[in-house]
């Protein structure tokens, strides 16, 4: 029998790890996953971050847009992805109108992603209009990944 050395698992990607990668000019690989099987494969392949996107409405559920996707649905998939992940940071996408009504609503739903879904961060769509909410969440200890550019949750406003 050949001598086998077990490779020690790489540590979990955390906010400080992502910041250090950014500061060092390293590429950060982030990809979308919706279930434990794909999460495990992507994690083992070296993905740094796995996004559980509200895009599951279109990709998994066959919807025409992301708008009908609920917090409960994304948390369900986030929990599955978290189970399949050892290293990658899991980011739960806060769906349409799950954070826009108030800071309290945003905090309640974001906390669910971490406590129920096993995410290490949440993602919000928006720019300047989301800044106060992002600041509030981060102040309360919830890491936030921003999403600017093409914003599917604003499909009717584009």
């Amino acid at each position: 029998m050949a001598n086998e050395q077990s490779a020690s698992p790489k540590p979990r990607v955390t906010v400080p790890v992502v910041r250090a990668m950014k500061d060092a000019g390293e590429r950060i690989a982030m990809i979308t996953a919706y279930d434990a099987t794909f999460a495990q494969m992507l994690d083992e392949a070296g993905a740094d971050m796995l996004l559980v996107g509200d895009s599951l409405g279109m990709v998994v559920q066959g919807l025409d847009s992301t708008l009908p996707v609920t917090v409960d649905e994304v948390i369900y998939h986030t929990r599955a992805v978290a189970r399949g992940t050892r290293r990658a940071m899991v980011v739960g996408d806060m769906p349409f109108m799950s954070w826009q009504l108030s800071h309290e609503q945003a905090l309640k739903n974001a906390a669910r992603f971490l406590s129920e879904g096993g995410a290490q961060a949440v993602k919000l769509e928006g720019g300047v209009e989301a800044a106060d909410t992002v600041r509030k969440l981060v102040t309360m200890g919830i890491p936030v990944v921003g999403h600017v550019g093409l914003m599917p949750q604003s499909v009717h406003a584009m």
Side-chain angles (χ1 to χ4, degrees):
M1 177 183 246
N3 256 346
E4 291 182 29
Q5 292 182 342
S6 62
S8 61
K10 292 182 177 181
R12 168 88 53 195
V13 175
T14 61
V15 170
V17 169
V18 172
R19 282 188 180 148
M21 291 172 74
K22 179 184 180 292
D23 291 344
E26 293 180 40
R27 293 179 184 255
I28 300 168
M30 182 174 190
I31 191 163
T32 303
Y34 305 109
D35 62 43
T37 302
F38 274 90
Q40 183 177 0
M41 289 188 298
L42 295 168
D43 190 64
E44 289 175 1
D48 300 307
M49 301 171 76
L50 297 180
L51 172 67
V52 184
D54 62 357
S55 54
L56 68 87
M58 298 169 79
V59 175
V60 176
Q61 298 172 339
L63 298 171
D64 291 335
S65 77
T66 63
L67 299 183
V69 176
T70 68
V71 170
D72 288 337
E73 291 168 336
V74 184
I75 288 175
Y76 169 87
H77 286 274
T78 302
R79 191 168 43 246
V81 168
R83 284 190 209 113
T85 306
R86 298 281 179 257
R87 178 185 166 273
M89 175 187 285
V90 176
V91 179
D93 189 3
M94 294 187 66
F96 180 67
M97 295 308 294
S98 67
W99 61 269
Q100 292 93 332
L101 297 178
S102 69
H103 288 156
E104 291 76 21
Q105 177 205 35
L107 183 58
K108 177 184 172 192
N109 285 326
R112 289 187 63 204
F113 274 92
L114 276 62
S115 64
E116 296 174 34
Q120 287 85 42
V122 295
K123 178 189 82 83
L124 305 181
E125 275 188 21
V128 173
E129 68 280 2
D132 286 339
T133 302
V134 170
R135 202 171 358 270
K136 181 69 171 177
L137 293 176
V138 170
T139 299
M140 299 305 291
I142 299 175
V144 177
V145 174
H147 176 155
V148 296
L150 178 64
M151 296 185 293
Q153 292 177 9
S154 300
V155 63
H156 294 305
M158 289 190 247

